[in-house]
Amino acid sequence: VIKGVNFQPVAFTGRIDQTEREKKRITIPDFLLMTEEQTNGTICRDDWFSVPQSTSISRFIAAMLNKQVLQFTIHPHCGTVTYIFKDGDKLIPITRFVDVDGLFEYLDEISPQISNTNFQIKKAGLTSKALHKISSFIDQKTAPQSINVTKMIMDFFNKGTGEALKPFHRNSLFLGSMHFQDPYNFDIERVQRCGIHYATPDGRVIPFCAYNTIHRQEVEAKFSKPFYS
């Protein structure tokens, strides 16, 4: 069962002519436009959001449960995602029935209030208020009718656990794109906020794009061993 598809635009290695490179280069915005075109608007450019936007949810769960949770704080140019639901013969992106931007803005507003409250009764009151408000960002009329999406989403927000999130993933298709860098589009700010790393035998932890672009040949020359069949 395929539950997710992640697209990786090509990264160039070695020397390449600028004209040829520009002709073959596909950026994340290019990918979004091609997806919109090839799905006849079923999945359009506005249906996607950047990976670090998910930290709005992570911070809320952390505030609600009063503990640290994983946050994907990578650079916004590194990746984009969306979720697709099937309703009969139709494919419905999550953004068609969830006000994602409004939800994230509200979570960013309420999470610090919950985190900064030391009184448990007040914290519980703020959390209860927030959970009630969160449901208002979901439009059940435009949501898939074959499944209760509102219940799945609210179950997760109420419990904040990986187990509670499983029904959401079982009933949706994850779509994503991550654009790895090459020498022609290398961005230091992206490297500084990398979320995928290589660990080398000499104990270094190197960001993925920096490893492929700068360090790979040196590391392989130093540590590789011949394989004999």
Side-chain angles (χ1 to χ4, degrees), residues 86-204:
K86 191 173 186 296
D87 192 30
D89 294 330
K90 293 194 305 181
L91 297 178
I92 306 177
I94 190 172
T95 49
R96 305 296 174 86
F97 58 90
V98 176
D99 177 7
V100 175
D101 289 335
L103 174 61
F104 287 161
E105 288 177 8
Y106 176 71
L107 294 177
D108 289 340
E109 174 189 326
I110 195 67
S111 296
Q113 297 179 38
I114 298 174
S115 296
N116 296 331
T117 300
N118 295 321
F119 298 102
Q120 291 303 313
I121 294 178
K122 186 176 181 181
K123 182 185 287 283
L126 285 170
T127 302
S128 177
K129 173 186 174 183
L131 291 171
H132 178 74
K133 177 70 174 179
I134 287 170
S135 63
S136 70
F137 292 99
I138 307 169
D139 184 357
Q140 189 61 46
K141 293 180 181 178
T142 55
Q145 299 302 303
S146 56
I147 51 176
N148 192 336
V149 178
T150 300
K151 182 179 185 304
M152 287 192 299
I153 294 175
M154 293 312 301
D155 279 350
F156 166 68
F157 274 107
N158 274 287
K159 299 174 183 176
T161 64
E163 190 67 27
L165 192 58
K166 286 181 179 179
F168 178 89
H169 286 293
R170 289 195 190 104
N171 288 278
S172 65
L173 176 69
F174 165 88
L175 293 181
S177 178
M178 178 169 285
H179 194 178
F180 294 117
Q181 299 183 86
D182 56 48
Y184 302 98
N185 63 1
F186 201 76
D187 185 339
I188 297 297
E189 289 187 4
R190 282 185 59 184
V191 173
Q192 290 173 332
R193 293 177 60 180
C194 182
I196 303 175
H197 297 78
Y198 278 98
T200 62
D202 56 358
R204 288 180 291 168

Side-chain angles (χ1 to χ4, degrees), residues 21-86:
R21 185 175 76 248
E22 291 176 351
K23 184 170 65 174
K24 294 181 177 179
R25 170 73 76 198
I26 296 176
T27 64
I28 288 179
D30 291 331
F31 163 71
L32 301 187
L33 291 174
M34 286 189 287
T35 302
E36 180 176 305
E37 178 183 337
Q38 294 175 25
T39 63
N40 295 318
T42 298
I43 305 171
C44 71
R45 70 195 78 176
D46 296 327
D47 292 322
W48 302 78
F49 44 94
S50 66
V51 173
Q53 284 183 275
S54 66
T55 58
S56 299
I57 298 174
S58 301
R59 292 189 185 111
F60 174 78
I61 298 300
M64 181 181 72
L65 300 180
N66 196 30
K67 69 176 186 179
Q68 291 295 317
V69 300
L70 181 64
Q71 297 185 22
F72 293 100
T73 56
I74 65 171
H75 194 280
H77 293 173
C78 289
T80 185
V81 299
T82 191
Y83 287 91
I84 308 298
F85 290 82
K86 191 173 186 296

